[in-house]
Amino acid sequence: MDTDVVIAGAGPNGLMLASELRLAGVRPIVLEKLPERSTVPRANGLVGQVVRMLDRRGLYERLSGTPGAPQPAPGFVFGAMPLQLDLLEENPLYLLPVPQARIEEVLQERALELGAELRRGHELIGFTQDADGVTVTLSGPDGEYRLRTRYLIGADGGHSLTRKLAGIDFPGVTNDSTVSRTGSAEVPAEYVRGGLLHLPGYGAVPPFLHQRTERGMFVWAPFPGRLPAVSTVEWDVPPDGEMTFQELQDSVDRVLGVHLPLAEPTGDGVRQLRRLVGGNSRLASSFRSGRVLLVGDAAHVHSAIGGQGLNLGLQDAVNLAWKVAAEVQGWAPPGLLDTYEAERRPVAERVLMHTQAQSALIAPGNDVTALRQLFGEFLQDSGNVQRIADLMSGADIRYAAGAHPLVGRWAPDLLVDSARLAELMRSGRPLLVDLTPGGLFAGTPVPEQIEVVTGRGERPIALLIRPDGYVAWAAEQDGAAERDGLRDALARWFQARPLTSATR
């Protein structure tokens, strides 16, 4: 084999996957047809559990530029309706406002630091697979060549060639009725007071939050340290020719119903001026075909509303990487790789569902306005806000049921002695955390890839945590049933190497 894994696509998902594979001791080669990283503005940040996942890999501080752990957001929106997250006792929604170009830069640095190989200017053009591996045909600066790999993973976006060559269908719906426009633009300085845009004839507009009117949707985005921008979404307003700044101005005025004078910014930075007609909600019929797998937009595409794309795709990558590594290294229990689709497909289905629901809530019309009024009443109840916040963040994910309510859920951010759990998960290895006096569970024979940590802390008294941060087993007390449960979880997820008693 030339390498363990070939990844098609060096966007955030492909780069995150490469880093996770290297942490697991697997050799990936990342292919990217673009010779350099794209500077075209795309996503403007991260929303949800993925922010906490990046903290558990030591990447949050590098991306945020601030020390310490991430903190929950004080507010957010659902379908251009405010979510009062301060109503919640446990707020699960985390935000990291960083442009995608910076995310890709940091993830590329990390992948290369860990020893991943990145081949820019090299494009997947074909492959064949057999029972032992995949032969990938590539086009590079010196012509066509081939690589032999154990697995091929498509992280090559919504138009994924990997998916098409694998013969995997991509059913869903296309909506051609919307037109989205975004451009770098400054608003009059005298209109901005107290952090709000005060628009005569309209009212106050908070930054970064969607404003729905009877005619469309508007967003004002005064990015710190970057060129400011405005965005609109309209229905059934056909575009004409190449996008211009005047077209953006006209769209803003139509949506708001008043004139907001815009000016092209004079500062340094990458300028945006783009138009997007329509959108897709699609889900691959399968996330796997033999030794070929899909992550991110290659497996699912949906509306950008709510910023769910990278939350979904990056967690695909973290879920898949350790399972592929287990297969490559020979310790995977039977069916482990099948759990990738079994776990991630329902999550993707829910994201498609709620992004479509949000798109319906921002549509024009008096009937939608009435629906929003009713929905707004629901959002005055903290229980409903909690449910939406859990949905948007991914905190409601439960991969599998177990004897303990934490099994299958995101591991809580507990302290072990004075260390945060996030600090103990930097290596990307499975983790057995034993907080019992004397380490009652730490002496259990475990596969050598599992790291065992003992110390003092709060309940639960012991946790077995998968590399992707989800709980495989938990205990509140020491007993025969708990010990049997631990052995069962070890066999289910981490079988296949000689068992040793490992402690740290």
Side-chain angles (χ1 to χ4, degrees):
M1 293 288 175
D2 297 310
T3 191
D4 295 324
V5 179
V6 167
I7 302 168
N13 300 322
L15 294 168
M16 186 73 183
L17 181 63
S19 295
E20 292 291 297
L21 288 169
R22 285 302 302 139
L23 286 173
V26 168
R27 300 170 300 142
I29 294 176
V30 185
L31 309 173
E32 175 52 59
K33 64 182 179 181
L34 296 177
E36 301 290 340
R37 282 198 317 274
S38 174
T39 59
V40 175
R42 298 185 66 188
N44 291 309
L46 299 168
V47 179
Q49 293 290 90
V50 69
V51 177
R52 303 166 83 184
M53 187 67 240
L54 292 171
D55 181 38
R56 292 183 175 184
R57 291 296 187 262
L59 293 170
Y60 174 76
E61 292 187 5
R62 290 172 67 165
L63 283 164
S64 67
T66 58
Q71 298 299 315
F76 200 55
V77 290
F78 181 85
M81 305 183 74
L83 285 178
Q84 300 179 58
L85 300 176
D86 55 357
L87 295 175
L88 307 181
E89 292 185 8
E90 294 187 14
N91 179 1
L93 216 156
Y94 291 73
L95 305 179
L96 182 55
V98 179
Q100 182 166 326
R102 175 60 179 161
I103 294 170
E104 289 188 10
E105 180 182 18
V106 169
L107 292 179
Q108 177 175 311
E109 289 173 354
R110 179 62 168 162
L112 295 178
E113 288 168 4
L114 292 170
E117 182 179 347
L118 173 58
R119 298 185 183 181
R120 288 198 173 275
H122 294 250
E123 182 178 6
L124 168 76
I125 58 174
F127 65 81
T128 59
Q129 62 171 313
D130 53 45
D132 299 318
V134 185
T135 300
V136 182
T137 303
L138 308 170
S139 175
D142 298 323
E144 289 188 13
Y145 67 103
R146 288 176 175 80
L147 280 176
R148 183 72 172 161
T149 182
R150 297 185 185 278
Y151 290 94
L152 168 64
I153 301 177
D156 46 351
H159 299 287
S160 170
L161 182 60
T162 308
R163 183 188 65 240
K164 294 173 183 177
L165 292 174
I168 297 174
D169 292 335
F170 204 36
V173 296
T174 297
N175 180 358
D176 293 327
S177 65
T178 61
V179 181
S180 303
R181 296 175 174 88
T182 300
S184 301
E186 292 180 341
V187 301
E190 63 270 20
Y191 284 17
V192 181
R193 301 188 302 277
L196 301 176
L197 173 61
H198 293 270
L199 181 57
Y202 180 85
V205 177
F208 303 109
L209 300 183
H210 300 136
Q211 297 290 303
R212 183 260 181 189
T213 74
E214 289 286 353
R215 298 160 296 278
M217 192 173 70
F218 170 76
V219 181
W220 168 55
F223 297 112
R226 298 161 52 194
L227 295 180
V230 298
S231 296
T232 64
V233 178
E234 294 183 87
W235 280 257
D236 300 318
V237 180
D240 182 23
E242 186 176 345
M243 173 81 170
T244 64
F245 192 82
Q246 185 61 49
E247 179 182 332
L248 179 66
Q249 174 72 75
D250 294 342
S251 179
V252 167
D253 292 349
R254 283 194 301 268
V255 169
L256 293 174
V258 297
H259 179 57
L260 171 62
L262 300 177
E264 298 187 54
T266 57
D268 295 331
V270 178
R271 281 163 169 73
Q272 306 182 60
L273 191 63
R274 69 176 187 268
R275 178 205 300 138
L276 177 64
V277 179
N280 289 284
S281 292
R282 297 186 177 276
L283 183 64
S285 58
S286 174
F287 288 12
R288 178 186 180 189
S289 174
R291 290 180 171 268
V292 180
L293 298 108
L294 306 174
V295 298
D297 287 356
H300 38 67
V301 295
H302 52 82
S303 167
I305 193 167
Q308 294 295 297
L310 288 178
N311 187 34
L312 185 59
L314 290 173
Q315 289 195 85
D316 284 351
V318 176
N319 184 289
L320 177 60
W322 69 275
K323 297 172 182 178
V324 169
E327 294 286 350
V328 169
Q329 295 168 344
W331 59 263
L336 179 66
L337 197 52
D338 292 332
T339 67
Y340 166 61
E341 179 168 353
E343 292 180 343
R344 295 305 297 167
R345 185 183 186 85
V347 179
E349 289 173 342
R350 283 182 65 75
V351 170
L352 265 67
M353 175 272 291
H354 76 72
T355 53
Q356 287 178 302
Q358 290 185 74
S359 297
L361 282 169
I362 65 171
N366 293 332
D367 52 347
V368 176
T369 300
L371 176 62
R372 290 174 60 83
Q373 182 177 351
L374 178 61
F375 204 89
E377 293 179 9
F378 294 157
L379 292 181
Q380 300 303 307
D381 179 86
S382 62
N384 291 330
V385 175
Q386 184 74 64
R387 186 160 186 168
I388 295 292
D390 289 345
L391 176 69
M392 294 281 283
S393 67
D396 62 348
I397 293 171
R398 188 173 190 184
Y399 288 143
H404 193 283
L406 279 177
V407 172
R409 296 193 180 278
W410 181 255
D413 291 328
L414 50 79
L415 289 175
V416 180
D417 295 331
S418 59
R420 294 189 300 122
L421 178 64
E423 297 165 347
L424 301 174
M425 296 191 67
R426 300 289 196 251
S427 69
R429 294 174 61 186
L431 200 63
L432 176 59
V433 180
D434 188 345
L435 305 179
T436 62
L440 297 175
F441 294 100
T444 301
V446 300
E448 63 183 25
Q449 68 268 25
I450 294 180
E451 187 171 0
V452 181
V453 177
T454 59
R456 293 177 297 175
E458 299 179 354
R459 304 183 80 85
I461 63 169
L463 289 168
L464 179 63
I465 305 172
R466 307 183 335 179
D468 57 358
Y470 285 81
V471 177
W473 166 87
E476 297 287 346
Q477 61 186 12
D478 178 34
E482 286 74 23
R483 291 177 181 270
D484 287 346
L486 175 56
R487 284 189 287 269
D488 289 345
L490 289 168
R492 178 182 181 186
W493 297 108
F494 310 111
Q495 184 199 330
R497 281 188 177 170
L499 298 182
T500 61
S501 180
T503 59
R504 170 183 150 183

